[in-house]
Every structure is written in C-alpha cells, then in structure tokens.
Amino acid sequence: DIYRQLAGGTTAAQLLHGSANPIGGQSALIKLRWGANAEGMKISNAPKFIKFALGENVKQSNWGDHSTTRFPQTRMGVEQVYYDHFIRAKEYEAAWKNYNTQAANKKATVKPVAPRRDLELETILEIINKERFITCHSYVQSEINMLMHVADSIGFKVNTFTHVLEGYK
C-alpha cells in the first residue's frame, strides 16, 4: 500500500507492533520509498523507539475464558512487569560493570566469566540511558499515572502517550 500512501501525501511512518504486551518490540522509523526494500526504507540515524502498552489488551480483559494463564492479568501485574524489567536491567548493567572491572585487572589469577548477553535488558538499559524513547499505548488516567510514577522512581522518561482516552484528566 506504499504507492497509495505516497499518493496521499504520507512520506514517513513509525512502525509499531501491537499492544498485547506491557513492553513490546522496538519500532522503526521509515521513509516511504516506492520500489525500496524494507532495509532501504529505514531512516538512518533515526532516534530509537520502543512501544509500551497499558490497558485492556495487556491484561487480556477481552480475550475470553481460555486466556487466563498469561501474566499479567491485572493492572497491578502490569506495573510489576515494568518494575521487574527495569530492576533486572540495572542489575544486568552492574554485572557487566563488575565483569569489565575484573577483566581489566591484569594481576588477577582467575579469569572472570562474562555475564550472558541479554538483548532485552540491553534495550531496557537504552531507555534508562536516554538512548531509546518510549511510545506508550494508553487509555485511563490511573494507568498513565502509574507508568509516570514507575518512570520517576526508576529514572527514565516516557516520550509519548498514544490513544490517551483520559489524557484530559
């Protein structure tokens, strides 16, 4: 549908995944180019984004009785997902700093073992280190306030709230 989008005046887009997970996939900023492949449309050196989500999709409220085994199922569970990931990311960063310090010690008799690389936690660290921005799919005031409180307590910022049904509050 790129041809129609270009004909209608759309020249660029931010590609986001769905909103079924509190912390979702990394997004891509693209410039629509007729005839270009996917890699050829990526905007080089574009800011990095990731999609977060709040609300009914994340806690699977409308998925039916067969979808009651996946975490989180509550708003409190969604908050815990955020805390768990950001705390784990900080622990991961500390483990790598400790490893690098030990590895730099030329007098050490025992060679340190590097932590296992974790791409998910490295992406969360990019958020903490202001190298990746959050776009958050959101609806109600209480959930928006919750994520802003998590951000304040951990030390990161939310770039954009989308949908924001109760944003006026």
Side-chain angles (χ1 to χ4, degrees):
D1 206 33
I2 293 171
Y3 180 81
R4 288 179 187 234
Q5 298 303 320
L6 286 167
T10 302
T11 59
Q14 181 180 24
L15 307 181
L16 299 166
H17 64 87
S19 56
N21 300 302
I23 300 174
Q26 301 171 27
S27 68
L29 296 171
I30 64 167
K31 179 167 178 48
L32 299 176
R33 296 178 173 102
W34 180 247
N37 64 17
E39 287 299 317
M41 286 191 268
K42 286 184 181 177
I43 298 172
S44 60
N45 299 321
K48 296 189 265 185
F49 284 84
I50 189 168
K51 184 172 178 186
F52 280 21
L54 305 169
E56 305 302 304
N57 294 348
V58 173
K59 58 190 199 74
Q60 307 153 47
S61 297
N62 303 315
W63 290 20
D65 293 335
H66 66 280
S67 295
T68 58
T69 58
R70 195 186 83 165
F71 182 79
Q73 292 282 309
T74 65
R75 286 180 166 86
M76 292 177 289
V78 173
E79 180 178 17
Q80 194 61 50
V81 165
Y82 291 125
Y83 275 115
D84 288 349
H85 278 77
F86 280 95
I87 290 167
R88 283 178 41 229
K90 286 185 171 194
E91 291 169 350
Y92 177 75
E93 182 178 47
W96 273 102
K97 284 181 182 176
N98 183 43
Y99 165 75
N100 289 330
T101 300
Q102 290 179 6
N105 182 0
K106 303 294 184 201
K107 297 179 184 177
T109 56
V110 178
K111 185 177 179 181
V113 177
R116 185 176 142 219
R117 186 155 185 224
D118 190 319
L119 298 177
E120 182 179 285
L121 296 179
E122 288 178 13
T123 302
I124 299 297
L125 282 172
E126 289 177 347
I127 297 166
I128 293 170
N129 297 325
K130 299 171 180 56
E131 298 166 358
R132 182 172 299 278
F133 303 104
I134 297 170
T135 297
C136 186
H137 177 111
S138 56
Y139 292 101
V140 298
Q141 176 188 15
S142 60
E143 293 175 323
I144 296 165
N145 285 339
M146 172 275 293
L147 185 56
M148 290 192 301
H149 176 75
V150 171
D152 287 344
S153 65
I154 298 290
F156 66 90
K157 301 257 186 238
V158 177
N159 187 69
T160 309
F161 285 100
T162 58
H163 295 271
V164 201
L165 184 66
E166 292 187 354
Y168 66 92
K169 292 182 178 182

